[in-house]
Amino acid sequence: MKIVQMVTQVALATLLYSSHALSSEPQYEYVVVGAGSAGLSAAYKLKSLNKEFIVLEKNERPGGIAENGTHGRFHYAKGTEYLGEPEGYLAKVIQELKIPMVEIPSPMDASFFQGNMYVGGQEVARLTIEHTGEQEFQKFITLLNSTKELTFKELRKLDTISAKEWLDVHKISPFIQQRYNVMARGLFGANLTEISALSFIPEAIFDYVDVEDVSDLTESDATSHSESWTTQTGIASIATAIASELNKQIQYHSSVNKISKAEIGYQVEFIRDGELHTLTTEKVILATPAPVAAYLAKDVLSNEQKNILEQVKYAQYATVALFSDVPIFNQAFDLAILDGQVITDLYDATWVERHYLPELRDVKEYVASVYMAPQGVADKSLLKRSDAELMDIIFNELNLVVPDLKEKVTGYDIKRFYHAYPVFNKGYFTRLYQLKSTLSGVYLAGDYMAYPTFDAAFESGYKAVLQAEKE
């Protein structure tokens, strides 16, 4: 009897599901898949246009790789740490929602190399001069400034060569290349041979905004502006503020598994709380990693579109928050480990809150965030390691930086990212614009963007809506 009842229930569910799937009247104008930076941006823009939409997010929180943890009285970033001065659509949303941004206090940067610590812009510049000479350092800065005047054709050519090839052609010193190889691994999850020159240049220029002469670096004082921004509790609070504004238009624990063509518009299947649901919509914005987008929309994308998406490779990272009762690193916001094997950066996760909240300055709680990156895009070994193996790497590699580190650590929090940011390899931008020009009905945002940062992902969601609204 139970078997008969079960078969009857399945048949009834199938009948109801089929009849709903064939509905000719879409329930929504838009469905946004993913509530990361890009999905939130798209949704916020749709709300301002008074569109009927819903956001489906598989996790229990918004923000994607912008995620916070808490320890004692402090917050710490598990993913994205900061952004440049907000501009574009992100700046508009921050202003409208009155999200209180703060500039990261100086010294922002420090570097550790061959057993020595260099803290602040002047010291980091001195380190570079020591290993390259002032003339070679000046040549690099002049080269970066010259790219600001390149034509579109010249910029497009930079998409066809690697950053390593570009640096070698211009005979940039090995030490500068070593510095930026660490940067590339930390930001792109790939080394200089694997990313395009076009993707490398903006990050290098960001380090030397408004700098024309080496003396501008060596003569600046420690109170100079960092040009980097966050909130007192971290970037994740931007996502939280936007999600609060969207409120019930975001459905969490909703994992999309298929997008298909409906009689009018599209049908979106998703699982929430273990149950299969379906809804119909006129248009879909996929704010998910490229391989996820290619899988979910495989029935509605062309072979060419799927082929381009499948070419996108992803960086894998692990971040580890180290808890302690004594300082681990508190001399700057970010310490770049220039001769490490796996670790690229060590952050003082309490740096911003201690500066802006006087009541926290002398609190004897400390959080240091370790960023661990692969050697290159083909290196998938990092996230296969156990927690114990990752901690062993940290204790071994940071032993010179922080003596007796193992004795200082009272606890830790490990976060693994399997799809952090896309690798901007040769031809990436050419394929990106080729892909976007072919989209109709289903639009892509998020990780297939113009630059691997929170704010670039945010802009991509906004632009996806603009593209969709042109139809």
Side-chain angles (χ1 to χ4, degrees):
M1 185 66 178
K2 287 183 179 179
I3 295 176
V4 173
Q5 287 177 336
M6 187 163 48
V7 170
T8 303
Q9 288 172 352
V10 171
L12 180 60
T14 303
L15 179 62
L16 291 172
Y17 169 76
S18 300
S19 114
H20 186 55
L22 294 174
S23 171
S24 61
E25 189 64 36
Q27 296 164 275
Y28 295 97
E29 292 178 87
Y30 285 89
V31 168
V32 179
V33 181
S37 175
L40 292 172
S41 171
Y44 189 86
K45 181 60 181 176
L46 291 171
K47 185 178 178 68
S48 74
L49 296 173
N50 296 315
K51 299 295 180 179
E52 288 291 329
F53 71 93
I54 191 170
V55 181
L56 300 176
E57 167 56 49
K58 68 176 182 178
N59 295 312
E60 62 183 1
R61 61 167 187 86
I65 65 170
E67 180 180 358
N68 267 2
T70 58
H71 178 71
R73 298 176 66 182
F74 291 98
H75 299 79
Y76 59 92
K78 296 186 179 186
T80 301
E81 289 274 358
Y82 62 93
L83 43 84
E85 185 169 2
E87 57 184 20
Y89 191 59
L90 178 59
K92 175 180 171 62
V93 173
I94 287 173
Q95 182 178 24
E96 288 181 356
L97 296 182
K98 297 181 172 57
I99 301 172
M101 302 297 294
V102 295
E103 188 173 17
I104 296 175
S106 293
M108 167 82 178
D109 297 312
S111 292
F112 187 86
F113 184 65
Q114 294 182 346
N116 295 309
M117 185 90 69
Y118 301 82
V119 178
Q122 284 178 297
E123 285 295 293
V124 172
R126 182 171 67 82
L127 166 66
T128 306
I129 291 171
E130 282 179 4
H131 291 275
T132 67
E134 189 168 334
Q135 186 175 354
E136 286 298 307
F137 193 11
Q138 181 63 58
K139 182 173 76 172
F140 178 60
I141 291 173
T142 302
L143 175 62
L144 291 177
N145 284 327
S146 71
T147 63
K148 299 174 185 178
E149 307 299 326
L150 294 180
T151 65
F152 177 80
K153 184 177 181 180
E154 290 169 324
L155 288 171
R156 190 167 182 175
K157 184 177 181 181
L158 291 174
D159 193 35
T160 66
I161 63 173
S162 72
K164 173 67 173 171
E165 290 168 331
W166 184 73
L167 292 166
D168 284 345
V169 164
H170 292 284
K171 298 181 180 178
I172 300 303
S173 79
F175 178 75
I176 290 176
Q177 294 200 33
Q178 181 176 349
R179 272 187 58 199
Y180 280 98
N181 199 56
V182 173
M183 176 280 296
R185 287 174 49 230
L187 180 62
F188 297 97
N191 57 52
L192 291 178
T193 65
E194 296 169 327
I195 61 172
S196 73
L198 187 56
S199 64
F200 163 78
I201 290 169
E203 177 63 19
I205 287 177
F206 181 74
D207 287 344
Y208 303 108
V209 174
D210 299 325
V211 174
E212 294 185 0
D213 193 277
V214 170
S215 63
D216 295 336
L217 298 169
T218 57
E219 294 174 6
S220 61
D221 60 35
T223 61
S224 61
H225 293 289
S226 67
E227 311 266 349
S228 299
W229 295 76
T230 182
T231 74
Q232 287 184 3
T233 57
I235 294 301
S237 62
I238 298 176
T240 303
I242 298 170
S244 295
E245 185 72 13
L246 296 170
N247 198 4
K248 294 181 180 179
Q249 287 169 293
I250 303 179
Q251 287 193 9
Y252 298 102
H253 302 289
S254 299
S255 182
V256 175
N257 57 26
K258 186 179 180 182
I259 297 167
S260 55
K261 204 76 177 71
E263 184 177 342
I264 299 176
Y266 298 88
Q267 178 178 293
V268 180
E269 292 180 17
F270 64 100
I271 296 174
R272 185 174 66 240
D273 299 327
E275 295 184 3
L276 180 66
H277 299 264
T278 181
L279 51 80
T280 53
T281 180
E282 294 176 21
K283 298 175 183 178
V284 179
I285 293 179
L286 279 169
T288 63
V292 176
Y295 174 77
L296 296 181
K298 60 181 179 293
D299 292 338
V300 296
L301 294 174
S302 70
N303 289 333
E304 179 187 18
Q305 290 167 335
K306 286 184 285 188
N307 179 58
I308 292 174
L309 286 172
E310 288 163 359
Q311 291 181 54
V312 184
K313 300 185 183 301
Y314 277 76
Q316 295 190 345
Y317 296 95
T319 65
V320 183
L322 304 176
F323 310 134
S324 63
D325 298 323
V326 295
I328 289 176
F329 173 70
N330 62 353
Q331 298 179 53
F333 176 68
D334 174 19
L335 177 67
I337 312 297
L338 300 186
D339 45 8
Q341 292 299 306
V342 177
I343 298 170
T344 62
D345 295 90
L346 176 64
Y347 289 90
D348 178 359
T350 71
W351 183 260
V352 174
E353 285 182 291
R354 286 190 196 277
H355 179 86
Y356 287 102
L357 299 172
E359 66 272 21
L360 296 181
R361 287 177 188 169
D362 297 322
V363 172
K364 304 301 181 184
E365 298 168 355
Y366 301 90
V367 186
S369 295
V370 180
Y371 274 55
M372 310 177 79
Q375 294 299 311
V377 67
D379 178 13
K380 304 299 182 185
S381 64
L382 179 63
L383 299 191
K384 295 177 182 178
R385 298 179 185 272
S386 67
D387 287 3
E389 288 173 323
L390 292 181
M391 293 306 297
D392 282 343
I393 291 172
I394 288 172
F395 293 139
N396 289 331
E397 288 199 16
L398 292 182
N399 188 51
L400 280 177
V401 184
V402 186
D404 303 318
L405 175 62
K406 194 169 187 178
E407 287 69 35
K408 294 178 179 178
V409 173
T410 59
Y412 59 84
D413 178 15
I414 296 176
K415 176 72 177 183
R416 293 170 171 83
F417 293 96
Y418 292 89
H419 290 102
Y421 281 127
V423 175
F424 288 50
N425 53 12
K426 290 193 290 187
Y428 177 91
F429 290 96
T430 302
R431 295 192 299 272
L432 171 65
Y433 288 107
Q434 176 188 351
L435 176 64
K436 286 190 172 182
S437 67
T438 65
L439 296 174
S440 179
V442 174
Y443 303 89
L444 302 174
D447 286 353
Y448 209 52
M449 65 188 105
Y451 198 64
T453 58
F454 179 93
D455 30 343
F458 198 88
E459 192 73 10
S460 76
Y462 164 70
K463 288 184 175 178
V465 172
L466 296 185
Q467 183 181 1
E469 282 296 289
K470 287 180 180 178
E471 290 191 358

